[in-house]
Amino acid sequence: MKKLMIALAVAVLASGGALAADLGGKLLKVGSDTTSPPMESVDPATGQIVGFDIDVVNAICAKINCQAEFVTTGWDGIFAALDQGNFDLVASGVSITEERKKAMDFSDPYIVNSQAVLMRVEDHGVSLEDFKSKGKKLSAQANTTDAQVAEGVVGKENVVAYDSFSAAIIALKNKDVDGVVINGANAAAYEREFVGELVVAIRDLESDPLGLVFRKGDANVAAFNEGLKMIRDDGTLDQLVNKYWGVK
């Protein structure tokens, strides 16, 4: 009997079954600022929250036996809401930074993103050097790495940070600023949305790894890292990248 038990244990380990995290079908609430296609947005036809981040979390949950319920939450309060227990994690294109790691835990990176500059079509051709040397103004959503990048380009005195991305876009259209620093992963979606008006004229400013965000000490981080490794190893993550950006 003892030999049989050992043989079964070895077989399970070989199959990977004993190593797989299992959250027992638990329902997890996921906070997301659903205003940034294709990372996350609300489908106007169905009212459903859709996007790359949503697909990544659902793919991980399929591996580690959990369910995700996505909750639209404004960016300006998303981390406070997580800390207060309004949801279990955040999936919202969040850059992993040393400063943020002091207050929250991150999963391993699931994609690397680079910032870009959205500009008016008539200004296409204005270079990054023009922004630096001619006192041009940049805007970005407040409390984001986009805002930090903007300050690095033109100096804090030439950056106007807005509580919402839509406010930054309005400022650009009204010529209050000369460009908006954006998440490069969203560049194609913004060009489609504002075709004929705005264009992504400068790309690849800085690169940031993106991660899922949890409260400090949350044991689910390890399970999600395991699930993330699984979808990376079996090609699911590459398929999702290809689905949204057409590249692997």
Side-chain angles (χ1 to χ4, degrees), residues 9-231:
V10 169
V12 170
L13 285 169
S15 71
L19 299 178
D22 188 338
L23 297 186
K26 184 177 181 180
L27 176 65
L28 299 174
K29 290 189 176 182
V30 186
S32 189
D33 177 13
T34 56
T35 61
S36 299
M39 301 300 287
E40 51 270 328
S41 62
V42 177
D43 184 339
T46 65
Q48 297 297 307
I49 298 173
V50 297
F52 177 71
D53 281 342
I54 280 68
D55 287 356
V56 167
V57 172
N58 284 332
I60 291 174
C61 275
K63 298 293 188 183
I64 63 175
N65 190 19
C66 60
Q67 301 177 59
E69 177 185 331
F70 295 89
V71 182
T72 294
T73 307
W75 177 263
D76 57 345
I78 200 166
F79 299 131
L82 172 66
D83 197 47
Q84 292 163 7
N86 291 3
F87 29 79
D88 301 287
L89 66 149
V90 168
S92 199
V94 183
S95 298
I96 302 172
T97 69
E98 291 304 313
E99 188 64 27
R100 285 175 177 164
K101 284 165 68 175
K102 295 175 184 178
M104 58 197 80
D105 283 345
F106 283 89
S107 70
D108 293 334
Y110 59 92
I111 193 174
V112 175
N113 172 62
S114 60
Q115 277 85 9
V117 179
L118 190 64
M119 297 165 53
R120 294 180 292 274
V121 167
E122 61 264 29
D123 292 334
H124 194 288
V126 172
S127 68
L128 195 61
E129 188 55 42
D130 290 330
F131 274 93
K132 293 178 179 179
S133 63
K134 297 180 180 179
K136 291 184 176 294
K137 290 187 178 294
L138 285 172
S139 66
Q141 190 169 13
N143 301 315
T144 63
T145 52
D146 295 341
Q148 294 172 3
V149 168
E151 290 179 9
V153 173
V154 296
K156 191 171 185 177
E157 67 279 7
N158 287 316
V159 174
V160 185
Y162 293 90
D163 288 339
S164 68
F165 175 74
S166 59
I169 292 297
I170 291 170
L172 179 59
K173 288 183 175 181
N174 289 342
K175 300 187 177 182
D176 296 325
V177 297
D178 302 293
V180 179
V181 177
I182 61 169
N183 181 326
N186 305 116
Y190 293 147
E191 286 189 320
R192 287 194 299 270
E193 182 176 354
F194 303 110
V195 63
E197 296 180 273
L198 306 179
V199 63
V200 179
I202 299 173
R203 299 174 184 267
D204 301 325
L205 292 180
E206 290 186 16
S207 295
D208 291 325
L210 306 185
L212 305 174
V213 189
F214 299 79
R215 285 185 291 277
K216 270 289 183 185
D218 191 331
N220 286 336
V221 175
F224 269 78
N225 281 341
E226 186 173 336
L228 176 57
K229 183 178 186 301
M230 293 169 75
I231 68 168

